[in-house]
Structures are given as structure tokens and as C-alpha cells.
Amino acid sequence: MLGSVRAARWRHVVLAGCAVVLGSATAVEAQSTEARLVQRRLEYRAARDQWESARSAVLVFEADFASALEAAERARRRGDDDARERALAVAQERSGPLRSQTQRVEDAADDLDRARTALIEVIAVRMENLVDDMRQASSRRERDRLDVLFRDLRNELAQLEDEIGSRVLIDPVALPDVVFDPRDGPEELEIKAQIMERRAAFTDSAVVQVDREIRDLGSRLRNERRRADFLAGTERFDDTRLPVVGGTPPGDAPVAPGDSVSGGGRPATLDERIRLKQQYREQLLLYRDQLLIRARAFRQAVGFIS
């Protein structure tokens, strides 16, 4: 009998010790994640500053290149062949610096994408940790405090998502219509083919980015469901609140009209956003294919003229 009592006490001590160890490990992991979160934010802000600087410069180069093309177009409409040749020579001369600066923007954008992805990943880990902490919270006050932190990180993720893909949009530079013209020479056709191929390359980058967004949204959706399921369960056993039986997930404010799809803003749910991202991806692929077809047609026309 005495041996059984001692064994039971020993098991209790072991279980208590395991709980302390696990709790300490969770606390250390949370501190480590917080430190990485601070570092990733700093790296992201530095990368964004570099990208914005490079992008501002490329807009200047692109405007100069566009103005030379427009000058060639005006000269062609006037029938001034000499002026057209001079303008095309200027456009060709300016295309080199534009390509070089565009590459610098692409390099800076790649760095920004990596920094943003690293920040998103550590935010996702921290949000998962917060859900786990909420499940182990000893009081409702602590649980609510952790949920506030969760929502703040969710808002930060939403801001990062709004920025994703902005670099691959074609800048609204005033370019002449890129269409066939019977008076086009080999140089003009080559320039038009390059414009189409450049836009197609931007579109390819957009597709890669959208794929990443879809994966991230799927991960967030699973984490949000874990949190909602847990909060719904705690609400049912909370004497101070009515049980949650459906509708808006616990702890979330109702969706404002401006946040709904019909209002033209952010879609109301993650499910909806994933679906719209998938539709957008299909549109990008179709647009990319059309650009490449047009570029190939310009190059074939160059072969006929040559």
C-alpha cells in the first residue's frame, strides 16, 4: 500500500516536472520568435527603402526612353524620315541604361520579396504560437490579451499582402500604342517586340508571386480555423458570455461593407480571397501568353523585312 502511494506521488512529481519543462520550452520559443520578428521587420524596411529608390530612378529612364519613341512616332506621322531615324537612334541609345536600371530594380525587388517572405513566415509562426498560448491561458483576461496580439499580427499580414505584387505591375508610363504599322522598320519592330517581352516577364513574376500568396493564405486559413474553433469552444463554457452558435468567429468584428467583395475592397473571407487569387492567376497566364504571341509576331515581321 505504501509503495503504491509513493509511486502515485512520484508520477505526480514527474508529470508536474514535465509540465514545467514544456512551459519553459514554449516560453523560450516565444522569446526566440519575437526576437526574429523584430529582426525581420528591420530587414524588410531596409529592403523596401532600397527598392523604392531603384524604382524611382527607373521611372526616369523609362520616361526618357518613351519620349524618344514618341518623337519617332511624331516624325513618322509628319513624313520626316531623317527626324525619325535620329529619334530611333536616341531610343536605341537609351534602351541600354534602361535595361541596366530595370535589372537593378529587379534585383532590389527580389531582395524585397525575400525579406517580405521571411517576415510573413515568422509572423505566421508567431500567430501559431499565440493560438497555442491561448489554449494554455489560465484566465480569460490572458486569453483576450493574446487574442489582441493575434489580431494585430493579422493586420500586419494584411498590409504586407496589399504590397505583394505591386512591383510587377506595369508602370503607367506614357508609351505609344504597341501595334503593327505598315511603315515600321526592323528597328521599330524589334523595340516593340522587346516591350512585349518585358511585359511578359513582369507578368511571369506576378504569377510566381500569386502562387506564393495562395500558399500563404491557405496556411493562414488553417490557423484562423484553429483559433476560431478554440474560441468557440471556450465561449460555450464561459458563464459571462452567450454561447457562439455561428456567424462571425469569436473575437472578430463584423466585416465592414467596404471590406466585402461587393464593396470593391478586400474580400470578406480568406476562402474568398484564395478563390479570387486563383482566378487572377488564370488571367495573368492568359495575358502573358497573348504578350508572347504578339512579341513573336513582331519578330517574324522583322525577318520578313530583313
Side-chain angles (χ1 to χ4, degrees), residues 236-289:
R236 282 192 290 269
F237 296 101
D238 194 330
D239 295 334
T240 63
R241 294 187 185 178
L242 293 175
V244 175
V245 295
T248 305
D252 286 342
V255 177
D259 291 336
S260 66
V261 177
S262 59
R266 180 180 296 279
T269 66
L270 288 171
D271 278 315
E272 214 166 23
R273 292 171 64 185
I274 291 172
R275 178 177 57 80
L276 291 176
K277 290 289 183 185
Q278 291 168 338
Q279 293 175 353
Y280 178 50
R281 184 183 188 277
E282 294 175 0
Q283 293 171 347
L284 286 173
L285 290 175
L286 179 60
Y287 178 59
R288 188 271 319 271
D289 291 344

Side-chain angles (χ1 to χ4, degrees), residues 9-305:
R9 289 176 177 174
W10 175 249
R11 283 195 299 271
H12 177 74
V13 170
V14 171
L15 291 175
C18 289
V20 171
V21 171
L22 289 175
S24 300
T26 301
V28 170
E29 180 183 357
Q31 292 173 358
S32 174
T33 304
E34 281 287 356
R36 285 192 292 129
L37 182 56
V38 171
Q39 181 63 29
R40 294 296 180 267
R41 281 175 177 148
L42 293 174
E43 292 170 355
Y44 170 74
R45 289 167 189 162
R48 182 169 179 80
D49 288 344
Q50 290 291 328
W51 173 75
E52 288 178 344
S53 175
R55 185 172 181 272
S56 296
V58 82
L59 292 178
V60 175
F61 284 99
E62 201 160 40
D64 291 342
F65 177 67
S67 67
L69 289 180
E70 290 170 347
E73 181 67 17
R74 289 193 299 269
R76 182 169 57 183
R77 287 196 295 267
R78 295 195 309 268
D80 190 341
D81 292 338
D82 291 339
R84 182 176 68 87
E85 290 296 328
R86 289 194 298 271
L88 286 174
V90 171
Q92 191 68 33
E93 180 181 348
R94 292 177 178 176
S95 66
L98 174 58
R99 283 195 300 270
S100 176
Q101 185 63 26
T102 299
Q103 184 60 52
R104 184 184 166 211
V105 173
E106 287 299 300
D107 292 342
D110 288 341
D111 292 340
L112 177 58
D113 283 344
R114 284 190 289 269
R116 184 191 292 111
T117 299
L119 177 55
I120 287 174
E121 287 175 352
V122 74
I123 288 176
V125 171
R126 181 60 183 139
M127 290 174 72
E128 290 177 5
N129 290 344
L130 286 171
V131 173
D132 291 337
D133 291 344
M134 288 164 60
R135 298 171 69 90
Q136 300 172 16
S138 57
S139 66
R140 174 180 162 185
R141 180 177 181 180
E142 175 65 8
R143 187 180 71 224
D144 290 345
R145 184 187 74 83
L146 294 169
D147 195 42
V148 168
L149 297 178
F150 182 96
R151 292 210 215 159
D152 184 54
L153 288 174
R154 183 173 58 191
N155 290 337
E156 185 175 357
L157 268 183
Q159 292 174 355
L160 292 170
E161 289 168 354
D162 288 341
E163 297 171 2
I164 287 178
S166 63
R167 75 175 182 91
V168 298
L169 298 178
I170 299 172
D171 295 317
V173 177
L175 291 170
D177 291 335
V178 186
V179 296
F180 278 107
D181 190 299
R183 295 166 294 181
D184 281 342
E187 297 89 354
E188 291 158 308
L189 290 170
E190 177 64 26
I191 288 174
K192 289 181 177 181
Q194 290 178 9
I195 292 173
M196 293 293 99
E197 289 167 348
R198 179 167 178 258
R199 292 182 179 180
F202 278 141
T203 308
D204 269 332
S205 297
V207 171
V208 172
Q209 192 64 58
V210 170
D211 286 340
R212 183 181 302 159
E213 292 176 47
I214 291 172
R215 289 194 299 271
D216 290 343
L217 286 172
S219 176
R220 285 187 56 195
L221 178 60
R222 290 188 293 273
N223 199 37
E224 290 276 2
R225 284 172 174 168
R226 286 180 62 227
R227 167 180 169 270
D229 289 345
F230 167 70
L231 290 179
T234 59
E235 294 294 329
R236 282 192 290 269
F237 296 101
D238 194 330
D239 295 334
T240 63
R241 294 187 185 178
L242 293 175
V244 175
V245 295
T248 305
D252 286 342
V255 177
D259 291 336
S260 66
V261 177
S262 59
R266 180 180 296 279
T269 66
L270 288 171
D271 278 315
E272 214 166 23
R273 292 171 64 185
I274 291 172
R275 178 177 57 80
L276 291 176
K277 290 289 183 185
Q278 291 168 338
Q279 293 175 353
Y280 178 50
R281 184 183 188 277
E282 294 175 0
Q283 293 171 347
L284 286 173
L285 290 175
L286 179 60
Y287 178 59
R288 188 271 319 271
D289 291 344
Q290 292 173 343
L291 290 171
L292 292 177
I293 289 172
R294 293 186 65 190
R296 186 161 55 249
F298 282 125
R299 292 197 181 281
Q300 288 173 346
V302 172
F304 287 130
I305 293 176

